[in-house]
């Protein structure tokens, strides 16, 4: 993995957390790290610099992580609505994770942050990028991480309904049975 080629933007109002993340990123070879204290400052950096990955805290004063992600994904003047975003949080309640997911976060990283966790999330973003989808008022990475052959529920996407068939012997919408 060539982490040395990445330009990473850290968005966190806590200087100590930014310093910790910078040390972790430098230790794994990242050379270009940009810092912002809130979402407003981060948007300004995104407008002037081609960032590869954003690591943002969920809870910040000013423009918080959820509002920042919503602006990046949905604002008409967003500099890069497709930039991969990792949400860092010490508040990993189901409600907060759902808010981040629904805003268009690619990955989550819970505190306390470890080098292993950072490496794992960056590797997921690079080696297994998820396609972006627009559905209703959602724009962001596809929430489905894989096609689960054990899934028995209704396939709601038009392309799924047109591509997959029901086969009572192998299960609903089995991917090996294409029309």
């Amino acid at each position: 993995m060539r982490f040395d080629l990445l330009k990473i933007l850290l968005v966190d109002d806590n200087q100590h957390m930014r310093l910790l993340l910078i040390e972790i990123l430098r230790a794994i070879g990242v050379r270009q790290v940009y810092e912002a204290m809130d979402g407003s400052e981060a948007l300004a950096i995104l407008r002037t610099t081609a960032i590869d990955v954003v690591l943002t805290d969920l809870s910040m004063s000013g423009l918080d992580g959820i509002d920042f992600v919503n602006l990046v994904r949905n604002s008409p003047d967003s500099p890069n609505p497709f930039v991969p975003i990792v949400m860092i949080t010490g508040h990993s309640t189901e409600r907060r994770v759902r808010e981040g997911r629904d805003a268009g976060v690619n990955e989550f990283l819970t505190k306390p942050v470890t080098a292993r966790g950072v490496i794992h999330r960056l590797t997921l973003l690079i080696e297994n990028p998820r396609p972006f989808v627009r559905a209703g008022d959602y724009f962001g990475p596809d929430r489905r991480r894989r096609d689960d052959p054990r899934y028995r529920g209704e396939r709601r996407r038009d392309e799924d309904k047109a591509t997959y068939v029901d086969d009572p012997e192998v299960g609903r919408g089995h991917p090996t049975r294409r029309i």
Side-chain angles (χ1 to χ4, degrees):
M1 186 69 51
R2 296 287 312 266
F3 293 126
D4 60 314
L5 300 176
L6 293 176
K7 290 181 187 175
I8 296 184
L9 172 59
L10 295 178
V11 188
D12 198 318
D13 59 354
N14 183 316
Q15 180 182 3
H16 297 292
M17 183 55 67
R18 286 195 320 271
L19 289 173
L20 171 66
L21 285 164
I22 288 170
E23 289 301 317
I24 290 172
L25 292 169
R26 297 249 189 262
I28 65 172
V30 176
R31 295 182 187 158
Q32 297 183 65
V33 180
Y34 298 81
E35 297 178 62
M37 291 184 56
D38 67 17
S40 300
E41 192 177 333
L43 285 170
I45 292 170
L46 283 171
R47 287 188 176 93
T48 61
T49 308
I51 296 295
D52 298 307
V53 176
V54 174
L55 302 176
T56 184
D57 191 31
L58 183 130
S59 300
M60 295 181 286
S61 58
L63 188 64
D64 77 353
I66 299 294
D67 293 334
F68 167 67
V69 174
N70 274 317
L71 286 171
V72 169
R73 296 290 186 237
N74 299 306
S75 178
D77 66 338
S78 174
N80 185 358
F82 296 96
V83 67
I85 300 175
V86 177
M87 180 71 68
I88 302 170
T89 181
H91 311 283
S92 58
T93 65
E94 184 179 338
R95 181 181 67 81
R96 296 299 277 171
V97 169
R98 193 177 313 117
E99 283 179 312
R101 178 203 66 193
D102 292 346
V105 168
N106 294 73
E107 297 292 336
F108 285 88
L109 182 61
T110 57
K111 295 177 183 175
V113 175
T114 65
R116 178 180 288 189
V118 172
I119 291 168
H120 179 68
R121 294 323 177 285
L122 291 175
T123 302
L124 283 173
L125 292 173
I126 294 166
E127 292 185 355
N128 300 309
R130 290 183 280 154
F132 276 65
V133 297
R134 184 172 303 281
D137 61 351
Y138 175 77
F139 174 73
D142 190 341
R143 296 175 191 164
R144 296 180 297 183
R145 294 188 176 271
R146 64 192 178 290
D147 189 15
D148 187 351
R150 296 171 299 172
Y151 176 71
R152 302 284 188 239
E154 177 186 358
R155 299 238 178 220
R156 296 182 298 174
R157 293 203 178 133
D158 289 340
E159 68 267 18
D160 287 341
K161 291 176 182 176
T163 306
Y164 298 99
V165 298
D166 290 338
D167 185 332
E169 293 191 23
V170 293
R172 184 171 190 76
H174 192 274
T176 60
R177 299 288 307 220
R178 299 200 183 270
I179 295 176

